[in-house]
Amino acid sequence: MIDQSDEVFMRAALEQARAALKQAEVPVGAIVVKDGEIISQAFNSPITLQDPTAHAEILALRKAGLSLHNYRLPDAELYVTIEPCIMCMGALIHARIKRLIFGTYDLRAGAAGSIFDLTFHEKLNHRIVVTSGVLEQECRDLIQSFFRERR
């Protein structure tokens, strides 16, 4: 269920995505929220960092872990502009993220319901509550315009 705070936090994730765009990175932004406060934020940086794991979600989780002095984030929520990939979903599961909120589905690599669904897999030891479609059109337009300009 989408509420007003989901939109506020997704706007913060969109700001991160726009920062990625300024760096010529794929415009994906993520933030981690705990107790109603942003504890970390990041944007896609694999080109800049020369690191295939430098997705917005991974970088935001790393910063959150450092901020809380714990790699487990059981009471935290992650907001991201596009549905996470398999790698990022694995990290969210290992971090024990309570809730994932994303803007638009990734019909090519998504792992939270579109192609794969690792959020509630029966064989995994952690389940993540998912809210999708928060500011969906704005998130979709940002990433589609990026790829349209690249073609």
Side-chain angles (χ1 to χ4, degrees), residues 57-125:
E57 300 95 321
I58 301 292
L59 297 174
L61 289 173
R62 286 177 184 161
K63 290 177 182 179
L66 290 171
S67 172
L68 298 176
H69 307 290
N70 193 346
Y71 72 104
R72 298 281 197 215
L73 307 167
D75 296 320
E77 302 172 316
L78 185 129
Y79 289 77
V80 63
T81 54
I82 191 166
E83 177 186 12
C85 69
I86 293 170
M87 174 185 67
C88 292
M89 281 307 305
L92 293 173
I93 291 164
H94 285 292
R96 304 295 193 265
I97 287 290
K98 175 174 73 173
R99 184 167 169 245
L100 164 66
I101 305 91
F102 66 89
T104 189
Y105 281 97
D106 183 346
L107 301 178
R108 295 182 183 191
S114 63
I115 296 177
F116 304 101
D117 191 355
L118 299 180
T119 62
F120 218 79
H121 195 281
E122 64 197 36
K123 300 226 177 195
L124 296 174
N125 64 348

Side-chain angles (χ1 to χ4, degrees), residues 7 10 18 22 32 44 47 50 57 70 90 141 150:
E7 290 186 1
M10 188 59 72
R18 290 184 189 98
K22 289 178 185 175
V32 176
N44 260 15
I47 297 166
Q50 297 296 291
E57 300 95 321
N70 193 346
D141 289 349
R150 293 282 185 261

Side-chain angles (χ1 to χ4, degrees), residues 5-48:
S5 65
D6 285 344
E7 290 186 1
V8 169
F9 290 129
M10 188 59 72
R11 289 199 188 288
L14 276 162
E15 285 304 310
Q16 289 298 303
R18 290 184 189 98
L21 189 61
K22 289 178 185 175
Q23 300 291 317
E25 297 276 1
V26 176
V28 177
I31 65 165
V32 176
V33 173
K34 185 174 186 301
D35 299 326
E37 291 188 33
I38 296 173
I39 59 170
S40 71
Q41 51 192 357
F43 55 82
N44 260 15
S45 298
I47 297 166
T48 303

